[in-house]
Structure formats: structure tokens, C-alpha cells
Amino acid sequence: MKRAMLIVNPSSGKEEAVDYVEEIEAILKDKGYEVKVSQTEKELDAMKYCQNACRDEFDLVVSLGGDGTLNETINGMVDQTHRPLLGIVPLGTVNDFARALNIPLEPKKAVDVLRSDRSKKVDIGRFNDRYFVNIVAVGALAEATYEVSPEQKTKFGPLAYAMEGLKTLAGDTGYPLKIEYGDKTWEGESFLFLAALTNSTAGLENLSPQAEVNDGLLHCYVIKNVNLVRLATIVSSILRGNLKDQSDVEYFTAQNLEITSSENLVTNVDGEEGDSLPVSIHVKPSHIDVIVE
């Protein structure tokens, strides 16, 4: 019999995650799986459970929780000798990875996707010694998102990140960055640098519309040190999906990046605080297989 592990964060989705467990178990048993349910209690539990599922050669792992639970689950799967099929039931605030894969954000509809026999291989990004599925950001706007509280995320959703980020704009701060990719180098002052794996970031599905989940590329945007008027235009261009066409934005694609700065800059990785510069980033193409509609 095939085996599936359901990794459940009971505090996700306004503490509604456990309400879906019985239905998911029924669906998976109908598909021939023996189901093990593992509930997280603390940070890194999801990663540990997924590592165990890989070691024991489970056929399927389902992440039932928010972006943090999914990120941990994927971190537990990447580079393992055996990598199970991944199912996603998104219960977070933003759910960028689910958006990029067109997995429904309404939990009951996402649960129904687990009935599907279709799957899609997707890229994973390596960031120093950790992994990400959506984006790496460097700059004042990236750092500002750490100030978003759980209460703000619950009340305002993806808008909470934009609201907190706008508080930094009046400072008009640029940072010296050096970005090496392939045999090329970009060096100069940057207000914000973004390296996107998918089209959806902070709930904005037009940030990088040309990005595909399995194109093997990082889609990179250097937003130069611009004034508030130009910055307003750039924000508008993000909403319209043509950020790369702005004169104050340098756009390029890469498979590998080395980012350094003469200043002490920290990074934002999938919405969480990352390492300080310097950092190395590269793409692991089509590395995991995800159930899709």
C-alpha cells in the first residue's frame, strides 16, 4: 500500500487546519494511501517530519498550513535521495507558491485538488544553506516586512506588507550592491533588489508575469535609487505587470547569483528574515513534484 504523511499546523487558518484532516484522510485512503498524520508543535517540526517521510520513502507528503509550514516542508524534502509527491492545502495569509501553481486558495477547493492525478515539477531556489520557493529581496523595503505583525497579516492580508513597506519610502535610501551572475556583473546603488522564482510575491501576481514555476531561472529586478515620484510609478508598474520595462529598473535572468555589499544588509527570503550579505543563490530546476488540478 502507498503511504502518505499529512503535516498539519493546527494554528494555521484561524486554527481551522484540523477541521480538514478527516476529509483529507478519506480522499487519500480512497486513492489507496495509508495515511499518517503529524501535527506540528514548534518551529522546524514540519521540516523534521518531511525529512522522516523522505527517509522512510513515503509516496506523498501533504502540507496543511501557511507559508511557513510549506517552506519548512519543502526544506525537508530538497536534496533528499527519495522525494515524495507534494500536496498543498494553503491556509496562510499570502500563499504565493499555491497562487503560482493555480492551487485554489479556498481550503475546501484545495482539498479537492488532492483527488487529482496530475502533478507538475517545479523549481526550488537554494539560498546559502536554506531553500526558498518564491523570492529573495534585499533593501529597505525588504527589511520593513519584518515589522508586519501576525495581527496585521490577519486583518489586512497581503496589503499588510505594502503598508509597512510604504513607511520606508520617505527615507529614499539606496544601498551599494554588487550582483554577479554568469560572466556578468551589476554594481551600483539600489533601493531594492528582487530575485523571483515565480510570478506571485506578497499576493501580487503581476510582479514577474514572465516567471514560470519550472523555467529554471531567477527573474531579477534591480530597482535603482529613485525619488518618491518615480517610486510611485514603479509601484504602479508592479500592479500592471511591466516592472521590467521601467527605466529605473534593471532586469535580467540568471541561474546563479552572488550578492555582496560594502554595507551590512540583511535579506528577506519568502517573507522571512534571511542571512546578511554576502549570499549565494542558485536554482534547482524541476526539483520537486506537486499535485495540481
Side-chain angles (χ1 to χ4, degrees):
M1 179 177 280
K2 298 183 294 183
R3 292 185 297 165
M5 179 180 289
L6 177 55
I7 299 176
V8 184
N9 183 344
S11 63
S12 292
K14 300 178 181 177
E15 301 187 354
E16 295 175 352
V18 293
D19 297 341
Y20 301 103
V21 170
E22 189 174 330
E23 183 180 358
I24 293 172
E25 283 188 288
I27 290 171
L28 296 183
K29 286 176 181 177
D30 282 346
K31 290 180 69 66
Y33 288 99
E34 175 186 314
V35 182
K36 178 178 181 179
V37 179
S38 300
Q39 285 198 23
T40 64
E41 296 179 355
K42 59 186 182 299
E43 189 176 1
L44 300 183
D45 274 357
M47 183 173 74
K48 178 183 70 176
Y49 294 148
C50 188
Q51 287 172 337
N52 292 341
C54 293
R55 180 198 64 206
D56 296 337
E57 298 191 352
F58 273 62
D59 301 282
L60 170 67
V61 168
V62 177
S63 172
L64 177 58
D67 290 328
T69 304
L70 177 61
N71 193 284
E72 282 192 23
T73 300
I74 288 173
N75 268 264
M77 186 179 295
V78 176
D79 280 344
Q80 298 293 328
T81 302
H82 172 78
R83 293 188 293 277
L85 184 64
L86 176 64
I88 301 170
V89 179
L91 296 175
T93 304
V94 181
N95 304 308
D96 277 319
F97 196 53
R99 288 173 188 269
L101 286 163
N102 294 315
I103 292 171
L105 303 186
E106 204 284 305
K108 288 192 70 65
K109 292 181 179 179
V111 168
D112 282 339
V113 173
L114 298 176
R115 303 178 192 275
S116 172
D117 292 321
R118 295 186 62 239
S119 66
K120 190 169 191 174
K121 291 192 176 294
V122 299
D123 301 337
I124 298 297
R126 178 162 183 152
F127 175 90
N128 287 350
D129 294 325
R130 63 188 283 189
Y131 302 94
F132 67 101
V133 295
N134 287 304
I135 196 163
V136 172
V138 182
L141 205 57
E143 294 182 25
T145 59
Y146 307 147
E147 305 301 321
V148 177
S149 68
E151 292 76 20
Q152 284 176 299
K153 286 194 280 187
T154 298
K155 185 174 181 180
F156 299 109
L159 186 60
Y161 294 100
M163 291 168 62
E164 195 63 41
L166 285 171
K167 296 178 184 178
T168 71
L169 302 187
D172 193 22
T173 303
Y175 299 93
L177 279 185
K178 181 178 181 181
I179 304 164
E180 298 174 85
Y181 58 105
D183 58 354
K184 299 179 181 179
T185 300
W186 185 92
E187 191 166 6
E189 292 279 321
S190 171
F191 176 79
L192 180 67
F193 171 73
L194 303 169
L197 270 177
T198 72
N199 67 314
S200 181
T201 300
L204 300 172
E205 297 178 29
N206 281 328
L207 173 72
S208 189
Q210 62 275 28
E212 300 286 345
V213 294
N214 54 7
D215 61 10
L217 296 172
L218 293 158
H219 294 259
C220 303
Y221 303 84
V222 182
I223 300 174
K224 300 171 187 176
N225 197 11
V226 297
N227 60 36
L228 283 175
V229 174
R230 282 295 302 143
L231 202 53
T233 302
I234 287 171
V235 170
S236 176
S237 73
I238 291 174
L239 298 175
R240 295 194 308 270
N242 62 352
L243 177 62
K244 71 183 184 68
D245 300 323
Q246 298 303 304
S247 60
D248 299 307
V249 175
E250 189 87 18
Y251 168 77
F252 58 89
T253 59
Q255 295 175 313
N256 301 280
L257 296 172
E258 300 285 337
I259 310 173
T260 57
S261 176
S262 58
E263 294 194 19
N264 183 29
L265 296 180
V266 295
T267 56
N268 185 302
V269 184
D270 282 349
E272 302 293 333
E273 184 171 352
D275 298 339
S276 299
L277 298 186
V279 297
S280 297
I281 305 171
H282 75 265
V283 181
K284 301 181 77 65
S286 300
H287 192 67
I288 61 174
D289 206 10
V290 183
I291 298 174
V292 295
E293 284 188 297

Coordinates of all heavy atoms in Angstrom, one line a residue, residues 123 132-137 193-201 207-212 215-221 243 251-254 257 270 281 283:
D123 N 10.6 24.4 -9.8 CA 12.0 24.8 -9.4 C 12.0 25.1 -7.9 O 11.0 25.6 -7.4 CB 12.4 26.0 -10.2 CG 12.5 25.8 -11.7 OD1 12.6 24.6 -12.1 OD2 12.4 26.8 -12.4
F132 N 14.2 28.2 -0.9 CA 13.0 29.1 -1.0 C 12.2 28.7 -2.2 O 12.8 28.1 -3.1 CB 13.5 30.6 -1.0 CG 14.2 31.0 -2.2 CD1 13.6 31.7 -3.2 CD2 15.6 30.7 -2.3 CE1 14.3 32.1 -4.4 CE2 16.3 31.1 -3.4 CZ 15.7 31.8 -4.4
V133 N 11.0 29.2 -2.3 CA 10.1 28.8 -3.4 C 9.6 30.0 -4.1 O 9.0 29.9 -5.2 CB 8.9 28.0 -2.9 CG1 9.4 26.6 -2.4 CG2 8.1 28.7 -1.9
N134 N 9.8 31.2 -3.6 CA 9.2 32.4 -4.3 C 10.2 33.5 -4.6 O 10.4 33.9 -5.7 CB 8.0 33.0 -3.4 CG 6.8 32.1 -3.5 OD1 6.3 31.8 -4.6 ND2 6.3 31.7 -2.3
I135 N 10.8 34.1 -3.5 CA 11.5 35.3 -3.8 C 12.6 35.6 -2.7 O 12.4 35.2 -1.5 CB 10.6 36.5 -3.9 CG1 11.3 37.7 -4.5 CG2 10.0 36.9 -2.5 CD1 10.3 38.8 -5.0
V136 N 13.7 36.2 -3.1 CA 14.6 36.8 -2.2 C 14.7 38.3 -2.5 O 14.7 38.8 -3.6 CB 16.1 36.2 -2.5 CG1 17.1 37.0 -1.6 CG2 16.1 34.8 -2.1
A137 N 14.7 39.1 -1.4 CA 14.7 40.6 -1.6 C 15.8 41.2 -0.7 O 16.1 40.6 0.4 CB 13.3 41.2 -1.2
F193 N 16.4 45.1 -4.4 CA 16.7 44.1 -5.4 C 15.8 42.9 -5.1 O 15.6 42.5 -4.0 CB 18.2 43.7 -5.2 CG 18.5 42.4 -6.1 CD1 18.5 42.5 -7.4 CD2 18.7 41.2 -5.5 CE1 18.8 41.4 -8.2 CE2 18.9 40.1 -6.2 CZ 19.0 40.2 -7.6
L194 N 15.2 42.3 -6.2 CA 14.3 41.2 -6.1 C 14.8 40.1 -7.0 O 15.2 40.4 -8.2 CB 12.9 41.6 -6.5 CG 12.3 42.7 -5.7 CD1 11.0 43.2 -6.4 CD2 12.0 42.3 -4.3
A195 N 14.8 38.9 -6.5 CA 15.1 37.7 -7.3 C 13.9 36.7 -7.2 O 13.7 36.1 -6.1 CB 16.4 37.0 -6.9
A196 N 13.1 36.6 -8.2 CA 11.8 35.9 -8.1 C 11.9 34.6 -8.9 O 12.4 34.5 -10.0 CB 10.7 36.8 -8.7
L197 N 11.4 33.5 -8.2 CA 11.2 32.2 -8.9 C 9.9 32.1 -9.5 O 9.7 31.3 -10.5 CB 11.4 31.1 -7.8 CG 12.8 30.6 -7.6 CD1 12.7 29.5 -6.5 CD2 13.4 30.0 -8.8
T198 N 8.9 32.8 -9.0 CA 7.5 32.6 -9.5 C 6.9 34.0 -9.8 O 7.5 35.0 -9.5 CB 6.6 31.9 -8.5 OG1 6.3 32.8 -7.4 CG2 7.2 30.6 -8.0
N199 N 5.7 34.0 -10.3 CA 5.0 35.2 -10.7 C 4.4 35.9 -9.5 O 4.0 37.1 -9.6 CB 4.0 35.0 -11.8 CG 2.8 34.2 -11.3 OD1 3.0 33.1 -10.6 ND2 1.6 34.6 -11.6
S200 N 4.2 35.2 -8.4 CA 3.4 35.7 -7.3 C 4.3 36.1 -6.1 O 5.1 35.2 -5.6 CB 2.3 34.7 -6.8 OG 1.6 35.3 -5.8
T201 N 4.2 37.3 -5.6 CA 5.0 37.7 -4.4 C 4.2 38.6 -3.6 O 3.6 39.6 -4.1 CB 6.3 38.5 -4.9 OG1 7.1 37.6 -5.7 CG2 7.1 38.9 -3.7
L207 N 4.0 40.7 -10.3 CA 5.3 41.2 -10.1 C 6.2 40.8 -11.2 O 7.0 41.5 -11.8 CB 5.9 40.7 -8.8 CG 7.4 41.1 -8.5 CD1 7.5 42.6 -8.3 CD2 8.0 40.3 -7.4
S208 N 6.2 39.5 -11.5 CA 7.1 38.9 -12.6 C 6.3 38.0 -13.4 O 6.4 36.7 -13.3 CB 8.2 38.2 -11.9 OG 9.2 37.8 -12.9
P209 N 5.4 38.5 -14.3 CA 4.4 37.7 -15.0 C 5.1 36.7 -16.0 O 4.5 35.7 -16.3 CB 3.6 38.7 -15.8 CG 4.4 39.9 -15.8 CD 5.2 40.0 -14.6
Q210 N 6.3 37.0 -16.4 CA 7.0 36.1 -17.3 C 7.7 34.9 -16.6 O 8.1 34.0 -17.2 CB 8.1 36.9 -18.1 CG 9.2 37.5 -17.2 CD 8.9 38.8 -16.7 OE1 7.7 39.2 -16.5 NE2 9.9 39.6 -16.4
A211 N 7.7 34.9 -15.2 CA 8.3 33.8 -14.5 C 7.4 32.6 -14.5 O 6.2 32.7 -14.2 CB 8.6 34.2 -13.0
E212 N 8.0 31.4 -14.8 CA 7.3 30.2 -14.8 C 7.9 29.3 -13.6 O 9.0 29.5 -13.3 CB 7.5 29.4 -16.1 CG 7.0 30.1 -17.3 CD 5.4 30.1 -17.4 OE1 4.8 29.3 -16.6 OE2 4.9 30.9 -18.2
D215 N 10.9 27.2 -15.2 CA 11.7 27.6 -16.3 C 13.2 27.6 -15.9 O 14.1 28.0 -16.8 CB 11.3 29.0 -16.7 CG 11.4 30.1 -15.6 OD1 12.0 29.8 -14.6 OD2 10.9 31.2 -15.8
G216 N 13.6 27.2 -14.7 CA 15.0 27.1 -14.3 C 15.7 28.4 -14.1 O 16.9 28.4 -14.1
L217 N 14.9 29.5 -13.9 CA 15.5 30.8 -13.9 C 15.1 31.7 -12.7 O 14.0 31.5 -12.2 CB 15.2 31.6 -15.2 CG 15.7 31.1 -16.5 CD1 15.0 31.9 -17.6 CD2 17.2 31.2 -16.6
L218 N 16.0 32.5 -12.2 CA 15.7 33.6 -11.3 C 15.4 34.8 -12.2 O 16.2 35.2 -13.0 CB 16.8 33.9 -10.4 CG 17.2 32.8 -9.4 CD1 18.7 32.9 -8.9 CD2 16.3 32.8 -8.2
H219 N 14.3 35.5 -11.9 CA 13.9 36.7 -12.6 C 14.3 37.9 -11.7 O 13.7 38.0 -10.6 CB 12.4 36.7 -13.0 CG 12.1 35.6 -14.0 ND1 12.0 35.9 -15.3 CD2 12.0 34.3 -13.8 CE1 11.7 34.8 -16.0 NE2 11.7 33.8 -15.1
C220 N 15.3 38.6 -12.1 CA 15.9 39.6 -11.2 C 15.6 41.0 -11.6 O 15.6 41.4 -12.7 CB 17.4 39.4 -11.2 SG 17.9 37.7 -10.7
Y221 N 15.3 41.9 -10.5 CA 15.0 43.3 -10.7 C 15.8 44.1 -9.8 O 15.7 43.9 -8.6 CB 13.5 43.5 -10.4 CG 12.6 42.6 -11.2 CD1 12.2 41.4 -10.9 CD2 12.0 43.1 -12.4 CE1 11.4 40.6 -11.6 CE2 11.1 42.4 -13.2 CZ 10.8 41.1 -12.8 OH 10.0 40.3 -13.5
L243 N 7.0 45.8 -14.6 CA 8.1 46.4 -13.9 C 9.4 46.3 -14.7 O 10.2 47.3 -14.6 CB 8.3 45.5 -12.6 CG 9.5 45.9 -11.7 CD1 9.3 47.4 -11.2 CD2 9.6 45.0 -10.5
Y251 N 16.6 44.7 -15.4 CA 16.0 43.3 -15.3 C 16.9 42.4 -16.0 O 17.5 42.7 -17.1 CB 14.6 43.3 -16.0 CG 14.1 41.9 -16.3 CD1 13.6 41.2 -15.3 CD2 14.2 41.4 -17.6 CE1 13.1 39.9 -15.5 CE2 13.7 40.1 -17.8 CZ 13.1 39.4 -16.8 OH 12.7 38.1 -17.0
F252 N 17.1 41.2 -15.4 CA 17.9 40.1 -16.1 C 17.4 38.8 -15.5 O 16.8 38.8 -14.4 CB 19.4 40.4 -15.9 CG 19.9 40.5 -14.5 CD1 20.2 39.3 -13.8 CD2 20.0 41.7 -13.9 CE1 20.7 39.4 -12.5 CE2 20.4 41.8 -12.6 CZ 20.8 40.6 -11.9
T253 N 17.8 37.7 -16.2 CA 17.5 36.4 -15.6 C 18.9 35.7 -15.4 O 19.9 36.0 -16.0 CB 16.7 35.5 -16.6 OG1 17.4 35.4 -17.8 CG2 15.3 36.2 -16.8
A254 N 18.8 34.8 -14.4 CA 20.1 34.1 -14.1 C 19.7 32.8 -13.5 O 18.6 32.5 -13.0 CB 20.9 34.9 -13.1
L257 N 23.5 33.5 -8.6 CA 23.8 34.8 -8.2 C 24.7 34.8 -7.0 O 24.7 34.0 -6.1 CB 22.5 35.6 -7.7 CG 21.3 35.8 -8.7 CD1 20.1 36.3 -7.9 CD2 21.8 36.8 -9.8
D270 N 11.3 34.6 1.1 CA 9.9 34.1 1.2 C 9.2 34.8 2.4 O 8.4 34.1 3.1 CB 9.9 32.6 1.3 CG 10.1 31.9 0.0 OD1 10.1 32.6 -1.1 OD2 10.3 30.7 0.0
I281 N 23.0 32.4 -4.4 CA 21.7 31.9 -4.7 C 21.8 31.1 -6.0 O 22.4 31.5 -7.0 CB 20.7 33.0 -4.9 CG1 20.6 33.9 -3.7 CG2 19.3 32.5 -5.2 CD1 19.8 35.2 -3.9
V283 N 19.4 28.1 -8.7 CA 18.1 27.4 -9.0 C 18.4 25.9 -9.1 O 19.4 25.4 -9.7 CB 17.5 27.9 -10.3 CG1 16.2 27.1 -10.5 CG2 17.3 29.4 -10.2

